[in-house]
Structures are given as structure tokens and as C-alpha cells.
Amino acid sequence: MKIRLPKIKVVQLNCGGTLIYEKTNFNQASSVRIGFCVGSAQNELNGTAHFIEHMYMHVTKNRNKEQLMADTKKYFGSSFNAGTWRYCTLLEFTRVNSLLDNCFELASDMLLNGDLDPKLMESEKGVILEEYKRSLDRKNTTISIDHD
């Protein structure tokens, strides 16, 4: 039996970002993670990365809340997720390749053009505090091993 290893490519972008991808010819869909190398492990940020991740979902300079939600459903479908981990904050989605241009445009708008409206920021504080409380409850039942 022949094992086929993936051909991963790494490209440094002009904007300073890094693109890591695997091209396959047998699949008509792609899974994408796009974001920043900043996460919860950077203690000096005091939760800023997680807070910004939440703000991605509200409004951009190009889309109001209704447009953003409609485009998210239309282009990302049910495969859309966002998260803040120890060392990165990401948007992730899996879509058919024919929609990828629209998905990248939407993800770029969310990541780069978020509108940090003070009223939305204030209301989002409660959501984040509730998530934090739930995470403390889970720590009593979950074992986490972290390698630095």
C-alpha cells in the first residue's frame, strides 16, 4: 500500500502574513483558517484577542449587522466558526471552491474592517464574561496539557 503525504506549501505574503496550504485535485471544497498569531497566552493583552474575535461578528465599515449576517450565511454556511486559542485568533470555514473568492473577501472584511462601536463593545462584555464563567466551570472537569 502506497501512502500519499500531503504537499504543503508555505508562502510569505507582501502584507507580512503567511499562507500555508495544501492543494488537492480530488476535492471540490477547501477548509480555511485565517487570523492572527495572537491568543489567550499573551497575558499582557488581558483578553483583548478574545474580545476582538467577538467583535468580528457584529459590523464592519462595509457591512451593517444585517448584511454581515446575510453574507455570513450565504458564503460560509454552517461551516463557519471563530475562536481564540492560546496562540492564535482565527476565523475558519469549509466551502466549495467556487465560493472561495467571496469567502476570502468576507473574512478579510471581518478581520480588517471591523467597526469597534462603543455601544456594541459594551454589550459584548457581558457575553465574554459569561463565556469566561463557563470556562471556569469546565476547568473542574477538563484536563488540559499545554506544551510551551
Side-chain angles (χ1 to χ4, degrees), residues 39-40 47-55 83-84 89 127-128 131-132:
S40 63
T48 303
H50 186 210
F51 185 76
I52 297 298
E53 174 235 316
H54 274 251
M55 297 307 294
T84 302
T89 302
V127 174
I128 292 172
E131 280 187 8
Y132 177 70

Side-chain angles (χ1 to χ4, degrees), residues 39-85:
S40 63
Q42 285 83 6
N43 290 326
E44 68 274 8
L45 295 176
N46 296 321
T48 303
H50 186 210
F51 185 76
I52 297 298
E53 174 235 316
H54 274 251
M55 297 307 294
Y56 292 157
M57 310 301 173
H58 287 287
V59 63
T60 73
K61 294 174 184 167
N62 302 312
R63 291 173 170 92
N64 65 29
K65 177 76 171 177
E66 292 76 25
Q67 292 168 318
L68 188 61
M69 290 299 101
D71 286 351
T72 299
K73 184 177 180 181
K74 179 178 179 180
Y75 296 122
F76 293 143
S78 62
S79 72
F80 179 70
N81 191 22
T84 302
W85 291 268

Side-chain angles (χ1 to χ4, degrees), residues 3-16:
I3 297 175
R4 197 176 109 182
L5 297 175
K7 293 180 181 178
I8 304 293
K9 297 194 182 215
V10 178
V11 177
Q12 284 301 129
L13 303 174
N14 291 336
C15 65

Side-chain angles (χ1 to χ4, degrees), residues 17-18 33-38 56 88-91 111:
T18 303
R33 287 183 175 171
I34 185 171
F36 301 100
C37 294
V38 175
Y56 292 157
C88 61
T89 302
L90 299 171
L91 298 178
L111 290 168

